[in-house]
Amino acid sequence: MSRKPRIAVIMDENTSVDGTRYDTSKSYFAAIHRAGGLPFGIPYLADLVAPVVEEFDGFLSVGGRIGFPEAWYVDGDRSQYQRSDRLAVEQALMEGFLARDKAVLGICNGMQMLGCLHGCRMVSDVHASWPGALNHDKRDLLHDVTIRSGTKLAGLVGAETFEVNTFHREALVEVSDGVVAAAHGPDGVIEAIEVPGRSFALGLQWHPEKFASADHPGTRVFDAFVQAARRTD
């Protein structure tokens, strides 16, 4: 029997308070485990990057609210969040996994980093910057997403539209030639991206881990992610 894929999960932190504690939803770990993977939380220690990239099979970049470089934003915009030690470690991990073509899944903050590392740009407040945008920073709001036909995401979720949650203020608004916008909200906001040159490099703006115990198309993302990590053996 082949071993279960080991998935590196970058830890989030309590940036809304003082940034002194790791603070990550258990749902990420439960979703990976349900899909057949073994999740491991990774702290912000630079000397862990090389061994984690070498020894783990996949990388999950979780949601969070940390300060990104100003160059990642459209002209005249900048992050409203505080800088974090997470940024450098997470970026090095994502770049390392991508360079080895190991499976990468970016959720919310992770989608934004995945996109910006491939030349996309973002805004710090999509509700204020995008004409007609929903208020996406509402935990009690569900909205539809429409999946672009012919994308890898369309093939793995098996649905054209479905409801998702929305917990984000920032969003990608400019997509480079290096990625494909794979889903949009009803207001046109980009809800998913994928990197066509990689075996599995997917970003989702919503939080599929919150649906891990439900019969929801988004849970298939974790199944596909863990399966892609399994193929690195």
Side-chain angles (χ1 to χ4, degrees):
M1 181 182 295
S2 62
R3 67 174 177 83
K4 293 183 177 182
R6 293 182 296 170
I7 307 299
V9 182
I10 188 71
M11 302 294 285
D12 193 21
E13 64 181 330
N14 62 334
T15 51
S16 61
V17 184
D18 56 10
T20 60
R21 298 175 64 89
Y22 292 114
D23 185 5
T24 307
S25 171
K26 295 178 181 179
S27 298
Y28 296 112
F29 299 91
I32 291 171
H33 190 257
R34 182 203 59 79
L38 296 177
F40 294 80
I42 307 300
Y44 313 154
L45 301 173
D47 57 356
L48 285 180
V49 170
V52 167
V53 170
E54 175 68 26
E55 298 170 17
F56 282 74
D57 306 302
F59 175 60
L60 174 62
S61 175
V62 304
R65 304 199 176 206
I66 63 174
F68 282 158
E70 189 171 343
W72 290 8
Y73 295 83
V74 298
D75 293 344
D77 201 355
R78 63 194 312 171
S79 176
Q80 299 177 22
Y81 302 133
Q82 67 184 38
R83 297 303 294 266
S84 167
D85 293 337
R86 172 179 169 176
L87 176 65
V89 173
E90 181 173 19
Q91 181 173 343
L93 285 168
M94 185 174 286
E95 291 175 335
F97 276 84
L98 289 168
R100 289 175 173 261
D101 200 21
K102 293 185 175 183
V104 171
L105 175 59
I107 294 175
C108 199
N109 171 98
M111 166 174 149
Q112 294 153 8
M113 175 173 282
L114 179 64
C116 290
L117 291 180
H118 288 86
C120 301
R121 293 208 295 175
M122 58 193 291
V123 292
S124 62
D125 188 340
V126 66
H127 186 233
S129 304
W130 187 286
L134 300 171
N135 182 357
H136 286 262
D137 196 15
K138 293 185 67 175
R139 292 181 178 270
D140 59 347
L141 177 67
L142 294 174
H143 67 75
D144 285 344
V145 292
T146 300
I147 310 302
R148 181 175 175 180
S149 63
T151 59
K152 179 173 290 188
L153 180 61
L156 66 90
V157 299
E160 294 182 0
T161 63
F162 51 87
E163 279 192 331
V164 301
N165 47 33
T166 184
F167 305 153
H168 64 101
R169 180 179 301 169
E170 299 184 320
L172 297 178
V173 294
E174 295 181 4
V175 176
S176 72
D177 293 338
V179 306
V180 172
H184 292 83
D187 52 3
V189 169
I190 300 166
E191 291 285 343
I193 60 170
E194 52 192 51
V195 183
R198 302 295 175 184
S199 58
F200 191 100
L202 178 65
L204 303 179
Q205 193 60 72
W206 71 90
H207 285 261
E209 77 280 359
K210 298 295 185 182
F211 299 112
S213 61
D215 182 16
H216 187 276
T219 62
R220 298 169 198 159
V221 171
F222 282 101
D223 296 331
F225 172 50
V226 170
Q227 183 60 34
R230 192 184 306 277
R231 286 196 289 269
T232 67
D233 289 347

